Amino acid sequence: MALASCFVSFAATVFISSFITSLLLPSAYPLDLSATILPIFDVDLLEFSLNLEYLEADFFLFGSFGQGLERVAPNLTRDSPPPIGAQKANLDSITNGLILQFGYQEVGHIKAIMNVVRGFPRPQLDLSASAFAKVMDQAFDRPLQPPFNPYANNVSFLIAAYLIPYVGLTGYVDTIPKLFSITSKKLVSGLLGIESGQDAVIRTLLYPLRLAKVPPYDIDVDEFTRRISNLRNTLGRAGSKDEGLTVPVNEGAEGRVQGNVLAGDQFSLAYNRTPEEVLRIVYGSGNESIPGGFFPKGAGGRIARSHLRNGYH
């Protein structure tokens, strides 16, 4: 009798938790009552994070190894189409080694997420040189000649890498306070730690080169990072949450430095971005309902799909 009473109490707790989280969900996210030990809202946020992890895994693996998830962890692709245009970058041995580490770290992230949620097949990704060239043309408000090629050399690849992990880490900063489960919070805290580290390494590698020209352009690294950060702010449509490698002194740490190897707010705390802001940036459209950019057919998971005309799955 005591056992039955405990079971009823547990079931009631799960029901009430799911009901409360459903009330907190934006109306644009229709409920999926799939069986899970995590609150539904946690599942949605964890699954949303797979989009950036897939993107980073294939970008880093192809850039350093010349092959992606199909070769390294084919079970994680779930028979999804390979990325468009991904290729091996022309990197020196040290940079190649670092990027390869990043790639395998992203494989681990995908596995960690799929250990606790069902997940979804990798969305169609566009990692072609032309996809990155379009981003750079947007950032500079004009076509660069020749078109930007992220795979051409060390500096170009690091500039392209500057585009991606930072968006993911700002998304994780936003996600953690919204989670209900300790399991979810521990997982995303771990993901945030590594994503932040990757972004820090990329910015640190670029910082000594900030006054160097990015071949073949007469444009220095510092201006590239500033332009990219400004573009992400514009696309995100949520104010300033992005900064280049240098800033005006009054915007630096404690208003005392121009160097900005780590981006942070007035208290040097990490910025946050909602899933919608993230989608606006990675789609390159400034609209979470208009796919494009690195996700030509849209991102996966219920949150992302709920914004698309063809619905969600």
Side-chain angles (χ1 to χ4, degrees):
M1 185 63 120
L3 182 60
S5 176
C6 288
F7 177 78
V8 170
S9 176
F10 173 76
T13 300
V14 171
F15 175 81
I16 292 170
S17 174
S18 295
F19 176 73
I20 291 173
T21 57
S22 72
L23 295 178
L24 295 173
L25 282 170
S27 59
Y29 304 163
L31 286 178
D32 174 6
L33 297 176
S34 302
T36 175
I37 60 170
L38 296 176
I40 294 168
F41 197 32
D42 283 25
V43 172
D44 289 340
L45 288 170
L46 292 177
E47 289 195 328
F48 181 80
S49 66
L50 280 171
N51 290 295
L52 271 295
E53 300 295 351
Y54 277 131
L55 176 65
E56 294 172 37
D58 272 322
F59 178 60
F60 291 140
L61 287 172
F62 269 100
S64 60
F65 185 53
Q67 299 187 66
L69 288 172
E70 277 79 11
R71 173 66 183 276
V72 173
N75 59 308
L76 299 181
T77 69
R78 299 191 181 180
D79 298 319
S80 57
I84 299 167
Q87 59 184 279
K88 175 76 174 67
N90 182 25
L91 304 176
D92 65 38
S93 59
I94 293 177
T95 305
N96 198 86
L98 289 171
I99 299 303
L100 183 61
Q101 291 175 50
F102 289 179
Y104 282 119
Q105 288 165 2
E106 300 304 334
V107 173
H109 290 180
I110 297 169
K111 289 179 178 178
I113 295 167
M114 287 188 174
N115 279 341
V116 296
V117 296
R118 180 176 55 194
F120 50 82
R122 176 188 54 188
Q124 178 66 75
L125 301 174
D126 187 349
L127 295 174
S128 63
S130 62
F132 284 91
K134 288 176 183 176
V135 175
M136 296 307 171
D137 290 350
Q138 276 185 287
F140 283 89
D141 291 320
R142 61 183 172 85
L144 295 182
Q145 293 297 336
F148 181 82
N149 181 0
Y151 303 107
N153 52 65
N154 263 20
V155 177
S156 293
F157 191 85
L158 289 173
I159 289 287
Y162 177 92
L163 274 169
I164 302 173
Y166 182 75
V167 178
L169 82 85
T170 57
Y172 286 141
V173 173
D174 181 79
T175 294
I176 293 173
K178 295 177 178 176
L179 297 169
F180 290 85
S181 163
I182 293 298
T183 298
S184 302
K185 290 180 179 180
K186 287 177 65 177
L187 172 58
V188 179
S189 295
L191 295 170
L192 173 60
I194 298 299
E195 295 294 331
S196 299
Q198 290 177 353
D199 181 66
V201 169
I202 292 165
R203 294 177 72 104
T204 300
L205 290 173
L206 288 172
Y207 188 75
L209 304 174
R210 63 193 181 279
L211 300 180
K213 304 298 183 183
V214 177
Y217 311 107
D218 189 28
I219 305 170
D220 60 37
V221 168
D222 190 40
E223 185 172 354
F224 263 91
T225 65
R226 185 169 59 254
R227 294 273 191 161
I228 291 168
S229 288
N230 288 343
L231 175 64
R232 289 190 296 212
N233 283 329
T234 299
L235 293 175
R237 302 192 344 242
S240 179
K241 298 185 176 182
D242 220 303
E243 299 168 341
L245 293 175
T246 63
V247 292
V249 172
N250 65 307
E251 295 178 16
E254 290 300 292
R256 297 185 179 187
V257 290
Q258 184 179 24
N260 196 48
V261 72
L262 297 179
D265 66 12
Q266 64 182 24
F267 301 110
S268 292
L269 300 178
Y271 292 104
N272 69 297
R273 283 193 170 109
T274 66
E276 287 73 23
E277 292 169 52
V278 170
L279 291 173
R280 294 167 195 161
I281 294 168
V282 297
Y283 287 173
S285 64
N287 189 324
E288 61 270 29
S289 299
I290 302 178
F294 301 120
F295 293 87
K297 296 183 178 179
R302 192 164 60 82
I303 292 176
R305 304 308 292 184
S306 71
H307 290 292
L308 302 181
R309 291 178 181 176
N310 63 342
Y312 60 94
H313 58 256

